[in-house]
Amino acid sequence: MTSHLAQGLQRPRSIIPGLLQASIRGFPVSNPCYGARRARQYTAASEQETPQGRYWAKIPRWKDSSVDTFLSHKWQMSNSVHTLPGLSDLMRSVLPEMIPPQRPPLRGQNEYPGVSTPDDFIRSFEVAAQMAPMAFRLSPHILSVIDWTDPLNDPVRRQFIPLESVINVAHPAATFDPVQEVDHSPVRGVIHRYPNKALFMATSICPVYCRFCFRSYSVGTETKSVKKMRFLPLMKQWEPRFEYIERTPSLHDIVISGGDTYLLEPEQIAYLGDRLLKIPHIKRFRIATKGLWVSPSRLIDPNDSWIDTVIGLSKKGRKMGKDVCVHTHINNKQETSWITRQGTQRLYEEGVTVRNQSVLLNGVNNTFDQMSELVHTLSDMHVEPGDVIRGAEDLRTPLSDSHELEHQIRDQTAGFLIPRFVYDVPGPAGKRPTLSAQNYDRKLGVADFTAPRLRGHDVKYWDPLWSLAEDAQKEVQSYFADRSSDQASYQMASAG
């Protein structure tokens, strides 16, 4: 065992790996009280002017759905697919007779051996779905932007529909709560990891469920591998969280999250926002949602007022000298459509600030071309590493990917568009630039991160096992086996 790993053995609290994430700040978005006539003007023009047009028509069950139907948020939610048989049936209707192979094989490895027909693909999905920590729920929009002619290589499919993969082997350092949120929850539903910022868990449901969600301990319905800590969107359950925020004057910044605020009713969003704006020491809050990208119809649905409520809170906050922003999440340009562009334009025209955070994902955005497209699509992007989740190792990236991407992008675009790659260090340390990693051992895939609030205890980032040579994989696994044995012996001696 190397001395670098041996040092880690003395600090078991630091053994938490991470995924790579991204944030896009200041991406201008907007939204108004346009009304039905203006929204329909947007729609008609777009259908004629954009090559995508009725992009959902490639899904047989929706080929006759009109633009007005597809723009309905209620229709999107009621037609979302969230059962294994339902998704299997849909895939049978869209998969080609022969599935194109993975190209090029991932670092020389074929992830999906034996998958060449629709039956192979669906069988692989059904096996993987049984083991996944996240339930699945997919909106018509997301299902329509997947390239079903090449599903093994599609970056959107990869994020939401698991397949049995030879590289999806859990790292021994993996955990369902990788940034230690539960350990920093003074009140149920409040995560307080930073001195002046806290997270308000408003709900546990989302319009879609991401395979790589670092909040798999809470988000979505229960699975065979995870019993969830649920947060229901009920005002009586929110009250203790507001009381904690009100009696903690050091807090200035609140993130309303979950789950996803996109599925809250407009009245609930208004209530949350008004309560926070009335607290004197709260200077800003963020409405966190992935909805802009995974179900954008709600942004221009003439019969829905969610976005008008957000705009109203933004304007009210400005008059009070407080910031009300939308924080969202997209990982690949392919997730967007003309509906997305119209929705974000609405927000921009109304002066709503929108920032994006993405996750650096293997096979989704960890190449120069993919990341460059995303940067230029969204503009002013900051990339932040996320954290390892059991069951999603095939999506995680080695630390070296972020270093190489930053090096490649730096001389290819304007300075304000250059992404900043960071690692969200578990516990109170916060986000640290990945370039600040110390003692990075590329052979064993482990690096140290430090921060003042860690008080001398470094935190380790572990690269996914699939990125290591076979002898290095065995060495890492042996290290963790030895550590588990030592801890068990210590606990037995203490009990005796």
Side-chain angles (χ1 to χ4, degrees):
M1 189 64 60
T2 67
S3 59
H4 189 60
L5 289 181
Q7 293 171 3
L9 184 58
Q10 300 167 11
R11 296 185 292 275
R13 69 182 290 274
S14 71
I15 310 299
I16 306 258
L19 274 181
L20 304 183
Q21 284 185 334
S23 303
I24 302 146
R25 295 201 173 182
F27 178 59
V29 181
S30 60
N31 160 267
C33 306
Y34 277 109
R37 187 170 63 86
R38 178 65 182 273
R40 289 197 174 97
Q41 287 174 349
Y42 261 137
T43 305
S46 297
E47 192 172 14
Q48 294 172 7
E49 296 169 9
T50 65
Q52 276 183 300
R54 294 173 61 255
Y55 58 93
W56 55 90
K58 66 182 180 182
I59 310 293
R61 66 179 63 179
W62 300 319
K63 64 182 178 64
D64 295 324
S65 297
S66 68
V67 171
D68 285 346
T69 296
F70 198 79
L71 287 183
S72 166
H73 174 65
K74 289 183 178 179
W75 184 89
Q76 287 279 329
M77 294 300 98
S78 63
N79 283 273
S80 293
V81 179
H82 53 83
T83 68
L84 191 150
L87 186 52
S88 295
D89 287 345
L90 182 141
M91 291 193 295
R92 285 190 182 91
S93 72
V94 293
L95 288 170
E97 291 185 6
M98 294 299 295
I99 307 290
Q102 186 181 18
R103 58 173 197 281
L106 180 68
R107 287 173 167 85
Q109 299 182 70
N110 182 2
E111 263 191 274
Y112 314 112
V115 176
S116 60
T117 69
D119 285 344
D120 296 335
F121 189 95
I122 292 168
R123 189 180 306 114
S124 178
F125 157 67
E126 291 176 345
V127 171
Q130 295 294 331
M131 300 183 294
M134 291 297 295
F136 55 90
R137 177 177 181 170
L138 299 172
S139 66
H141 167 78
I142 281 295
L143 288 165
S144 297
V145 297
I146 293 174
D147 180 3
W148 290 107
T149 67
D150 191 15
L152 293 184
N153 297 294
D154 187 80
V156 181
R157 188 283 305 165
R158 194 172 177 87
Q159 297 177 64
F160 301 105
I161 302 176
L163 294 179
E164 193 176 19
S165 168
V166 298
I167 69 170
N168 192 8
V169 179
H171 195 287
T175 172
F176 289 124
D177 182 17
V179 295
Q180 300 177 359
E181 289 187 331
V182 174
D183 293 340
H184 292 81
S185 180
V187 173
R188 182 177 173 84
V190 172
I191 311 300
H192 192 173
R193 292 175 57 209
Y194 306 91
N196 61 6
K197 186 186 84 171
L199 188 97
F200 187 113
M201 302 280 277
T203 180
S204 286
I205 59 175
C206 301
V208 302
Y209 294 130
C210 307
R211 293 182 52 219
F212 50 87
C213 180
F214 73 88
R215 209 164 280 146
S216 64
Y217 69 89
S218 169
V219 171
T221 56
E222 293 188 353
T223 65
K224 287 186 176 181
S225 59
V226 185
K227 184 176 178 61
K228 308 286 182 172
M229 180 187 297
R230 303 299 304 281
F231 299 100
L232 300 177
L234 302 175
M235 290 184 184
K236 66 179 181 180
Q237 293 193 9
W238 292 344
E239 191 57 34
R241 298 164 208 174
F242 281 119
E243 291 173 356
Y244 175 80
I245 294 169
E246 289 167 345
R247 67 174 183 266
T248 310
S250 62
L251 284 174
H252 305 308
D253 188 342
I254 301 295
V255 180
I256 307 174
S257 186
D260 196 316
T261 61
Y262 208 63
L263 293 191
L264 296 178
E265 293 300 319
E267 295 79 11
Q268 292 174 311
I269 291 289
Y271 178 80
L272 289 165
D274 286 338
R275 282 290 298 267
L276 290 173
L277 287 173
K278 289 177 182 176
I279 301 174
H281 54 268
I282 298 302
K283 305 301 182 184
R284 67 195 67 86
F285 69 84
R286 318 170 201 179
I287 299 170
T289 175
K290 190 176 172 68
L292 279 67
W293 316 109
V294 299
S295 188
S297 298
R298 191 168 202 181
L299 302 179
I300 59 175
D301 181 351
N303 299 309
D304 191 279
S305 61
W306 187 93
I307 201 64
D308 295 328
T309 303
V310 171
I311 290 169
L313 288 171
S314 174
K315 292 183 175 181
K316 185 175 182 179
R318 285 178 185 271
K319 290 181 179 179
M320 299 173 67
K322 299 187 176 187
D323 291 328
V324 178
C325 304
V326 172
H327 275 215
T328 187
H329 174 194
I330 179 177
N331 295 318
N332 188 281
K333 179 183 177 182
Q334 188 177 314
E335 296 168 53
T336 66
S337 75
W338 60 264
I339 300 175
T340 317
R341 291 188 288 274
Q342 289 183 8
T344 53
Q345 176 64 20
R346 290 184 64 186
L347 289 168
Y348 179 60
E349 290 175 16
E350 290 293 326
V352 177
T353 299
V354 175
R355 303 185 180 104
N356 187 78
Q357 180 168 337
S358 300
V359 182
L360 189 60
L361 298 171
N362 179 45
V364 175
N365 56 16
N366 65 326
T367 68
F368 170 76
D369 288 343
Q370 290 169 328
M371 183 59 69
S372 182
E373 279 189 344
L374 187 55
V375 167
H376 287 92
T377 296
L378 297 172
S379 113
D380 204 9
M381 175 179 177
H382 301 263
V383 179
E384 306 171 357
D387 301 277
V388 178
I389 307 302
R390 292 179 188 269
E393 280 291 279
D394 56 315
L395 289 172
R396 199 159 66 88
T397 59
L399 189 66
S400 58
D401 276 12
S402 69
H403 294 174
E404 292 165 8
L405 280 170
E406 185 162 349
H407 175 73
Q408 293 174 23
I409 290 175
R410 187 158 291 279
D411 64 348
Q412 298 294 322
T413 189
F416 68 91
L417 290 179
I418 295 173
R420 179 176 60 90
F421 293 78
V422 304
Y423 170 42
D424 194 356
V425 176
K431 298 176 175 65
R432 320 302 296 183
T434 61
L435 288 176
S436 70
Q438 301 173 9
N439 308 317
Y440 186 22
D441 185 334
R442 293 201 178 203
K443 176 179 180 289
L444 296 173
V446 60
D448 295 326
F449 284 86
T450 187
R453 296 186 71 208
L454 292 176
R455 299 177 182 176
H457 297 282
D458 60 359
V459 169
K460 294 191 181 300
Y461 179 95
W462 293 90
D463 287 344
L465 291 176
W466 61 258
S467 67
L468 309 179
E470 187 175 349
D471 61 331
Q473 293 182 33
K474 292 178 179 178
E475 188 170 349
V476 170
Q477 290 170 327
S478 175
Y479 159 68
F480 279 96
D482 292 344
R483 188 175 77 91
S484 297
S485 177
D486 290 346
Q487 288 182 340
S489 298
Y490 173 78
Q491 290 170 357
M492 289 177 66
S494 298

